[in-house]
Amino acid sequence: MTTTVTVSDRSGRTGDTPPGATALPVAGPAAVRRAALRLIRRDARAFALMLVLNALAAGAGLVGPWLLGRIVDTVRAGGGVRAVDRLALVVVVSALVQLLLARGARYVGHRFGERTVARIRTQYVDRVLALPPAVVERAGSGDLTARGTTDVASVARTLRDAAPEVCVAAAQALFLLGAVVVLGPLLGLCGLGLLCGLLAVRWYLRRAHRAYLAEGAATSELAELLAATAEGARTVEALGLQERRWAAAERAVQRFRETRLRTLFLRSVLLPAVDVSYVVPVAGVLLVGGALHRQGGITLGAVVTAALYLRQLADPLETVLLWVEQIQSSGAAFARVEGLVGAPRLPKAAPGTRPLPADDRIDVTGVHYAYDGAGDDVLRGVDLTIRPGERIALVGPSGAGKSTLGRLLAGIEAPRHGSVTVGRVPIASLDPEVLRRQVVLVTQEHHVFLGTVRDNLRIAAPEADDAALTAALAAVGAGWAEELPAGLDTELGPGGYRPDGSQSQQLALARVVLADPHTVILDEATALLDPRTARHTERALAAVLAGRTVIAIAHRLHTAHDADRVGVLEAGRLTELGTHDALVAAGGAYAALWESWHGRPRG
């Protein structure tokens, strides 16, 4: 089993830009259209019903203005009150029918939107869980967070509210324009005054998508920076990086401000042009209709009806334009959400199609590795064989490549050259389900999930009973869990019990015990514990890990002293390998580290 304590940045970086940062992809317009069509097809009946109800509501809306025109003509022709009352009653009935149909269309549209949003959220979670940990780390948690919250919420708001409103409004606008043309082709030409608004909308749409994508990217960048700064606040304060982080935050805020001002400028051009386009058609109909009426080419009622139709156009067009910003914003958001389709995924294969490890031996042969496959190699020509049941320690100065080698051994990364195999099968090519039964990687990072103590432990073993959970906690020295008010049912996190750093790490180590792999990689797994708790936990783990292969990446050299063999990494190369006593006697790099750790200068 390959697992990590958390998906956050394991490097502990506090710089402005993560090394080798790789942005997650954004779907193109064609891909977004295909994804939208797939979602529509999955609920095609509700979508079709929504369109039909919208069309009927729009048709019912044409009756009122037409009857008002009939009333004008009836009055001019000397018709009586009874005829006018009958027409007025039909106007009221048609208005009620339109109201009911429009409400029904919105109801169906909202249900369609909610079901579709549920599918989008489910797909998003599935795609995120299918991302390799390395991809998540290089992209940054801020981008994934922004896509899963702000972007998905924007798409949800559009499907739930904007889509039904726009469908109703668009149907009404088409029916109204068609009715004006039927009344009189010349009057229909007056509707061309709407072109100035349409031209403004076209100008806006050609620029809005890119502008909103830029705004979304700036939002993700700002969220990532704020999250990293908050998470590493103690490190920032300890290293005196406040000014550097402040400057980075100012740059991120400035980029967000610039992108936001760009979208505001686009709206400032669009909305005034649209307002003008509402007035021009009505004025044109009154002028042209008046001239035609004087010549006897059209009745006064038809002129009134056409003017009312064009005046009514303002409402649906206002609705469309009101939501056009939201539609553009959600279109860019949907492109970001759907972009995860193009991100690398954990490999999948049919059961039995991939070879299984023949044994538990791990071989590292001629390994070279560079992050993102470019730049200088972090590991250079590493050769190492780890025998089943062996306890090996990897030591060396910071930046020597210890954690990187641990990630390759866990199958999180694949070497650029060479191979890392378990039982003569490349670790990185194993099916995830098989890989999870092989190796557990535990880093110094930790994460407590919202839920109970039981929920946090059963992530590693969903079928474990309370006895197994209690035994796992005892194995890592987490006696504090027994003193909690509700025991395993105690809620953790905001509103519940807040475990400190050492208790959170013990929960993570208890998950390792429950995972029961044959190989465990400990990357400074007890670094966040105080020395006394760390030694107690390590002694408890030693009993639990007996008979397993243990690869310990450590700066505390007592871990190396207790190992069967010690490997020394320097500048990405494995320079020494042997027992503790042999390496100390050799007087090389490890001996220097050992003497320095004990405070004794060489010689």
Side-chain angles (χ1 to χ4, degrees), residues 47-113:
F47 186 77
L49 180 58
M50 179 178 66
L51 294 181
V52 170
L53 290 175
N54 285 330
L56 292 176
L62 298 177
V63 176
W66 178 73
L67 289 176
L68 286 175
R70 290 286 306 275
I71 290 173
V72 171
D73 289 338
T74 300
V75 172
R76 282 180 59 84
V81 175
R82 183 174 298 179
V84 173
D85 288 344
R86 284 198 301 268
L87 293 173
L89 179 61
V90 178
V91 170
V92 173
V93 171
S94 65
L96 289 175
V97 171
Q98 182 189 18
L99 176 63
L100 293 175
L101 289 171
R103 287 181 64 87
R106 288 186 177 90
Y107 174 77
V108 173
H110 287 167
R111 288 180 59 84
F112 167 79

Side-chain angles (χ1 to χ4, degrees), residues 142-350:
D143 193 9
L144 278 176
T145 301
R147 295 185 189 219
T149 54
T150 305
D151 292 340
V152 171
S154 177
V155 175
R157 189 161 55 252
T158 298
L159 289 173
R160 184 182 59 248
D161 301 323
E165 296 284 344
V166 169
C167 285
V168 171
Q172 288 177 342
L174 290 175
F175 275 69
L176 288 170
L177 283 173
V180 173
V181 173
V182 170
L183 285 172
L186 289 177
L187 298 181
L189 291 176
C190 296
L192 294 178
L194 295 169
L195 287 178
C196 62
L198 296 178
L199 290 175
V201 171
R202 183 173 181 273
W203 175 89
Y204 174 81
L205 295 178
R206 292 179 62 183
R207 293 161 176 79
H209 184 72
R210 183 178 300 176
Y212 279 107
L213 281 178
E215 185 179 342
T219 302
S220 294
E221 180 184 356
L222 182 58
E224 169 68 16
L225 187 139
L226 293 177
T229 302
E231 184 178 353
R234 293 184 180 179
T235 304
V236 170
E237 183 177 4
L239 299 179
L241 298 175
Q242 293 92 332
E243 292 296 328
R244 183 177 176 184
R245 299 303 291 178
W246 181 267
E250 284 190 329
R251 290 193 296 271
V253 170
Q254 179 62 24
R255 283 190 289 270
F256 173 77
R257 179 177 178 273
E258 291 172 354
T259 57
R260 182 64 174 167
L261 286 176
R262 174 61 177 169
T263 58
L264 289 173
F265 165 74
L266 295 178
R267 292 197 296 276
S268 71
V269 174
L270 172 68
L271 298 179
V274 170
D275 288 339
V276 172
S277 71
Y278 294 158
V279 179
V280 172
V282 177
V285 162
L286 292 176
L287 291 174
V288 174
L292 292 174
H293 176 64
R294 290 185 61 183
Q295 297 174 5
I298 193 171
T299 67
L300 181 60
V303 175
V304 172
T305 301
L308 289 174
Y309 280 155
L310 290 178
R311 183 62 189 87
Q312 279 189 345
L313 270 176
D315 291 333
L317 290 179
E318 188 74 34
T319 300
V320 172
L321 293 173
L322 178 67
W323 287 109
V324 72
E325 177 193 355
Q326 175 64 35
I327 292 172
Q328 286 298 304
S329 176
S330 64
F334 191 36
R336 287 163 49 78
V337 172
E338 193 65 22
L340 291 187
V341 174
R345 297 187 181 187
L346 292 172
K348 291 185 179 181

